[in-house]
Amino acid sequence: MKKLAYFFAAILALSSSFACNRQVEIDNPQPIKETLTFRAVLEQPDTKASLNSNYAVVWEPGDKIAVYNGTDWVESEALTDSDIKNYGRYATFSVSIAESKSNTYYAVYPASAAPSGAVSDDVLAVTLPDVQDIPSGGCVAKNALVQVCKTTDKNNMVFKNIASLIEFKAPESVDGYVSFEAFGAGDAALSIAGAASVNADSPVSVTGDATKVIVKGSFEAGKNYFAVIYPQSAVRKFRFVFSKEDETNGTMKAFRTGSTTGSALDFPLNGGNKFSNLGALSWLGPLSSKADLDKWAKYADYYLEGETVKLGADIDYEGDIWKPVNGNDATGFAGCLDGQGHSIYKIIIDSSTSENCGFFSSISSSEGRKDKLRVKDLLLGYNPSTEMGDEISNLTAETSGEALKVGILSGTITRSTIINVHNYIPLTAKQSEEVHLGGIAGRTGGKNCIIKNCSNHAVINYAGSHSSSYIGGIVATIGGNETEFTKCYNYGTVTRSIASSNKGNTFIGGIIARCGGSTQNTIVKDCHNNGTVGTKTDILANQVFIGGILGMDHSSGDETIKCISISNCSNATDGIVLCPSLSNSSAAEICIGGIVGAAKNQIIVSDCVNYGHITKSGNVAASQGKYGGIAGCVMSANCTITNCINAESGVIEDLKQTTAKKNQRIGGIAGFLNPGSIDLCKNLGIVKTENSGDGCYEYVGGIVGNYTAGIISNSCNSGTVSVSGSTERYASGGIVGLINGENVTTGDNCEVSGSISCNYEDNTGLAVGMYSKHSTTFGSLEKPVIIHSATVNGNSITNDNYLTYIAGTAAGISASGTPSANGDTIWATFAAE
């Protein structure tokens, strides 16, 4: 081994710019800048510079230093050939800087390693790069050969080396990089690079903030290369990791870990150690076995941004426990996992290690990238031999665990893109803490998170007792801006099976349970629910919001910006949205919708269809129950539902209600509107209540069950609207069951056909079943409600009698455009088929 005690020279630098930090004193003139010349030499004349075959000590054209005069750091001019003397043994640097008042100067080579702040007690804040690029044909990254200087003699600027060298022989030719780590007693990782403070007079003891050095380049088999590190003592273990890209197999890694025998290794200042026999490299390529997967998990944090690890086959994990991998690109796996359409199955995911839990504990990417692909084309829990979920895989978060954000792929996903991931692993959480559960992720965060072509096929169930729960087929909660969900599907049951121990809020959604606070510009498009969403459990709750696509939206924090837009989504024929029993909860509100449970803030729902069943089968002690084919409730002027359909197969039904004085509102499009906008919507399906108890209130409408404020326009009902109740507390309307707003004008261009019935015939109407508050106008002279062939309580509607049935007889409306005694007016016309 060649002696490395004299290895640094007048160093070759990268070109980088340094800003001058000028201190200006009010009313005092600044020091006059002039061009000063510094003659740079070396403390040790045999120190290597470029580490070439001749170990020559040379300055080269383009080199720069940074000089500090007690006030400012200033970068020198780049060296030219005329600045270099004595074959590069010394050089003169020109710097436009004021004279130092104390005649003391500090300098750093290369300029890119210098600090920007003041120097105190001769201590300089320098940076030895932890990513070192070796130029073509070279053997060391020249910008890593950091030296410092303190001088009072501009003609004798003596630079002192602050680093040590690792010399290694490349076992084979590789275009890629080699990372190096050093470990001390107890396998503690040593800080070998990064930012550090050094004494310009005696730079002996240096501690950086990086534990890994990555050396990039084209490595030729049998040739020696160098990694530059801060001096270390008592190194007990070291690790080399070689990395290369393969067009077919993705990023391939080879790991070499060694332990010292006898005395520990030292990496002294102006010295180093040489590793010449690393043996043949064994590459970890496509992951095709359980052993491969375990090895990848152990070394996952060696994959850098832009690197891809691929599955080469379906992997049977043999029923073993999987410890979640850290997918934070700053501290863990930073690459992309490409499943290539393969499955990992018979895997039990451990939930006891973190508040974020899944196959990954978290997937987090640095800011500024919308397209940062982190996982693609992966199946979890799918058994290829049976073509369904396997019987072993599961994620069960117990009460003793700490997992609060739980998803089968990841507990949280932040600023990342996930494409074509499909889950078949059931998830059950039993914690007594608040939980966020999702088939793909518990929560998304940051800006520009994209979930595309993903699906859940398994049961997602909260079986704990906490008052607040967020349960989503794909994601429980959205916590960031400009998140996108495209072509995502839920086929599983998304539910809560245990009552809460006290009152709180429950959110359940086939795709998303809830948008978090101040979420802006979330897009959900072409997503579909084919599973059962909701619960029949008798739970305590203040509020319950359940939707085939979304449980509830939230305010964006800016009235000009929408929180979320949902388009081209559906609750499929197999999609069932269930209302919980809540018979003992005295909940303030419950909202159930085929697309959205509660549209309360700033949301657009467009071009969506409900084909499935929205069913309230149990008794509800909620004072406000709202159920709709598209939305349970619409309750903000910033909420818009447009061009949506409750299809012929869509059924919105209340099968039981006996609790006295509880308002149940049921609509083909929305159960409740106060305010908001419903435009160009259709109900073709069945909207009904089978309750007949005298103590409850039920308002059922083809478009809206209960309307207080907002706009209904250009919408039509041709479905069946029926009410079993036979007291004045029940109402059925072709467009609206109950209007209890004052001085509102709405209903332009709406159309009615189909069958409308109520056992309390006085509250049955083609347009409106019942009025409470008055002076409202429905339709207009120019845009009246259009009545087609229909029946009201079994009576066929014709041009001769339609005005008799235009509203419940209790409203006193019997002519188009003529106000009733209470000021209510409906403009209508009959159009024969």
Side-chain angles (χ1 to χ4, degrees), residues 145 162 237 336 390 395 399 483 513 545 632 737:
L145 300 172
I162 69 167
K237 188 172 78 173
C336 174
D390 70 72
L395 196 172
T399 303
T483 302
F545 303 110

Side-chain angles (χ1 to χ4, degrees), residues 741-761:
E742 291 186 278
N743 301 313
V744 294
T745 300
T746 191
D748 285 0
N749 277 341
C750 288
E751 300 184 41
V752 179
S753 59
S755 173
I756 300 98
S757 64
C758 179
N759 279 345
Y760 188 76
E761 295 187 5

Side-chain angles (χ1 to χ4, degrees), residues 344-407:
I344 301 169
Y345 62 103
K346 294 183 181 178
I347 183 170
I348 299 172
I349 299 175
D350 181 26
S351 66
S352 63
T353 57
S354 169
E355 68 173 16
N356 293 292
C357 173
F359 185 80
F360 291 92
S361 56
S362 64
I363 298 173
S364 179
S365 304
S366 55
E367 294 192 40
R369 287 280 304 278
K370 184 175 182 179
D371 59 343
K372 195 160 187 180
L373 182 60
R374 301 301 306 277
V375 184
K376 62 175 291 192
D377 301 337
L378 176 67
L379 290 85
L380 293 168
Y382 175 80
N383 189 330
S385 63
T386 61
E387 297 185 349
M388 62 180 63
D390 70 72
E391 71 284 1
I392 294 174
S393 294
N394 73 83
L395 196 172
T396 302
E398 301 286 350
T399 303
S400 58
E402 297 178 354
L404 301 179
K405 300 175 185 68
V406 187

Side-chain angles (χ1 to χ4, degrees), residues 294 317 319-323 347-350:
D294 286 338
Y317 204 67
D320 274 359
I321 305 295
W322 174 264
K323 296 289 185 183
I347 183 170
I348 299 172
I349 299 175
D350 181 26

Side-chain angles (χ1 to χ4, degrees), residues 680-698:
L680 295 169
C681 292
K682 297 178 182 179
N683 173 54
L684 311 178
I686 297 173
V687 187
K688 67 178 181 176
T689 172
E690 296 184 2
N691 292 326
S692 57
D694 291 341
C696 54
Y697 296 75
E698 300 259 355

